[in-house]
């Protein structure tokens, strides 16, 4: 287990609320940080770099010395024309944690390291993880099968086991994590932090519409479809939202007809699509309410502590 100094003694729970495209906002970030977990948002959730800067100012004004650190997600990909401008703003604000996606680039890592910030990079395979490790990232986010957003297809057991063969820095696990005992399970598998996304869409403080949140509450694992049709790269979406947007579900579910070699679509096109086609992970079946972030984190904390106690009882029962 490896936590960077920046996070030691700063977290109530070993949890990062994932940056969710078009959903995460300053209200969600602040609610998370004030509750003792890392809050995050994608820079591209603001329409331009000036707006991104304004959001950072709003978040920083709302934090206290007792708050957990926050994180910003940058898309490190040719489809993102704002990368350099947004990176410069991150450096100016000394953003504590930068989460990079769709490209691990040493120059980006070096820029964040120049002021003492951390870089976590999300990966779905060993090859992606090795390339990110070579770029010098401080942490890897293992996005396993069943996760929302741009999810992978590897079992968390396989993905974490292979990453830990060559990476001893901070490791985060994403995919179907909704309860306190699941956070502990992620740690037992070898992760340092749990990375929760869908569970935080179904809270009161974010930009998701009421219909989006209710669809998550109503959905089950079988309602999640993993397809590149929306983004150009595979991602997880709710079946009902795909139907309402006019996608041919028979074609999407026939993997032989799906071109997984497509490239990421331009950010402007993706933003238009994700407004009506809603992402979620397979853990939706365990989500049945829309609490405040404060109430959710308090519940996760109780569940996490209870799981620790239960694990101790199991240990005492089996190991004699």
């Amino acid at each position: 287990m490896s936590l960077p100094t920046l996070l030691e003694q700063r977290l109530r729970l070993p949890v990062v609320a994932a940056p969710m495209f078009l959903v995460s906002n300053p209200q969600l970030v602040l609610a998370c940080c004030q509750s003792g977990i890392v809050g995050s948002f994608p820079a591209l959730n603001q329409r331009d770099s000036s707006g991104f800067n304004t959001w950072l100012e709003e978040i920083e004004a709302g934090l206290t010395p007792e708050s957990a650190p926050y994180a910003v997600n940058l898309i490190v990909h040719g489809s993102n024309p704002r990368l350099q401008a947004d990176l410069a703003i991150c450096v100016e604000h000394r953003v504590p944690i930068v989460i990079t996606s769709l490209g691990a680039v040493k120059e980006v890592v070096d820029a964040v390291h120049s002021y003492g910030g951390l870089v976590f990079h999300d990966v779905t395979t060993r090859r992606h993880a090795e390339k990110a490790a070579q770029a010098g990232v401080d942490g890897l986010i293992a996005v396993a099968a069943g996760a929302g957003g741009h999810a992978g297809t590897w079992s968390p057991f396989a993905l974490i086991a292979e990453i830990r063969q060559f990476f001893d820095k901070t490791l985060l696990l994403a995919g179907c994590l909704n309860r306190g005992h699941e956070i502990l399970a992620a740690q037992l598998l070898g992760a340092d932090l749990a990375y929760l996304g869908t569970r935080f869409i179904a809270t009161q403080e974010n930009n998701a519409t009421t219909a989006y949140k209710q669809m998550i509450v109503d959905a089950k694992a079988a309602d999640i479809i993993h397809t590149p049709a929306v983004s150009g790269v595979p991602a997880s979406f709710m079946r009902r939202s795909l139907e309402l947007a006019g996608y041919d579900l028979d074609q999407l579910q026939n993997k032989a007809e799906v071109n997984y070699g497509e490239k990421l679509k331009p950010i402007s096109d993706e933003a238009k699509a994700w407004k009506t086609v809603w992402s979620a992970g397979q853990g939706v079946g365990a989500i049945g309410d829309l609490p405040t972030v404060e109430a959710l984190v308090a519940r996760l904390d109780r569940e996490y502590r209870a799981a620790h106690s239960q694990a101790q009882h199991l240990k005492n029962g089996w190991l004699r």
Side-chain angles (χ1 to χ4, degrees), residues 114-146:
S114 71
Y115 61 85
L118 300 173
V119 177
F120 292 166
H121 184 72
D122 55 24
V123 301
T124 57
T125 67
R126 179 180 183 131
R127 180 176 63 85
H128 293 145
E130 289 174 336
K131 292 178 66 174
Q134 291 169 4
V137 302
D138 304 284
L140 293 174
I141 304 164
V143 186

Side-chain angles (χ1 to χ4, degrees), residues 126 142-145 153-165 171 173-175 177 182 185-191:
R126 179 180 183 131
V143 186
T153 58
W154 286 29
S155 159
F157 290 90
L159 189 54
I160 286 185
E162 293 209 17
I163 290 174
R164 276 304 188 203
Q165 291 176 15
L171 182 58
L173 177 63
L177 304 177
E182 292 161 354
Q187 292 183 303
L188 292 174
L189 280 180

